[in-house]
Amino acid sequence: MKLNEEIAVNQWGQGLKDINYFIDFFSELELQEKRQYLTDLSHFILQSKPKEDDIDEAINLSDLKKTYTVCILIKLNGLKLFSFEKIINLPENELQKSLKLFLYLFRVSYFRRYEQEKHNTHKWWYWDLSDDKNIDIIMGKT
């Protein structure tokens, strides 16, 4: 994932980006790019140290039906790498649902960490990403 995309995902975690930004971006990708994007998101989720309780919250926030394959798989298998891999390898018509679930899983777990680490000067992904000065520093423009 490119740095500007990483910034956008972390802005999503801070509530600064709209879900439609990601849906539009994702819809323009080829199948393998979609799978890679979901793989990258799954790593971000795992790095945010999600809790099993986050699953139900993410499903509720995403407005996905609990009966969708992606929701059933994450509930059955939990927040493990192989669970994410199963979801990433679903047929293409399931991948937008996977994107929504992954984004909300990330947001729930990220925000908890953000509250704890937002003053950590060594982790730009927890900086205030609404501040253009911080974005310029991250992008190496200053």
Side-chain angles (χ1 to χ4, degrees), residues 3 7 23 26 41 51 55 64 72-73 94 111 122 135:
L3 182 57
I7 292 168
I23 291 170
F26 194 74
L41 275 178
K51 298 178 181 179
I55 294 171
L64 294 171
I72 291 170
L73 284 173
E94 296 286 337
F111 194 74
H122 301 291
I135 302 299

Side-chain angles (χ1 to χ4, degrees), residues 54-66:
D54 295 344
I55 294 171
D56 286 328
E57 186 176 353
I59 291 170
N60 289 335
L61 289 170
S62 71
D63 288 329
L64 294 171
K65 293 180 183 178
K66 294 176 184 181

Side-chain angles (χ1 to χ4, degrees), residues 2-3 5 17 23 36 39 49 61 63 69 73-74 78 80 86 99 101 109 117-118 120 123 132 135 141-142:
K2 295 177 183 174
L3 182 57
E5 294 164 7
K17 283 273 187 209
I23 291 170
Q36 184 58 55
T39 298
K49 299 182 181 173
L61 289 170
D63 288 329
T69 303
L73 284 173
I74 200 79
K80 297 172 179 62
K86 283 184 175 192
L99 172 71
L101 180 61
S109 58
E117 304 219 32
K118 61 184 170 185
N120 187 332
K123 296 181 179 179
D132 289 338
I135 302 299
K141 295 181 179 177
T142 60

Side-chain angles (χ1 to χ4, degrees), residues 1 5 9 39-40 58 74 76-77 81 84-85 87 101 111 124 128 138 142:
M1 189 176 291
E5 294 164 7
V9 170
T39 298
D40 293 343
I74 200 79
L76 283 175
N77 298 307
L81 187 57
F84 288 108
E85 289 171 352
I87 292 168
L101 180 61
F111 194 74
W124 66 258
D128 176 3
I138 295 164
T142 60

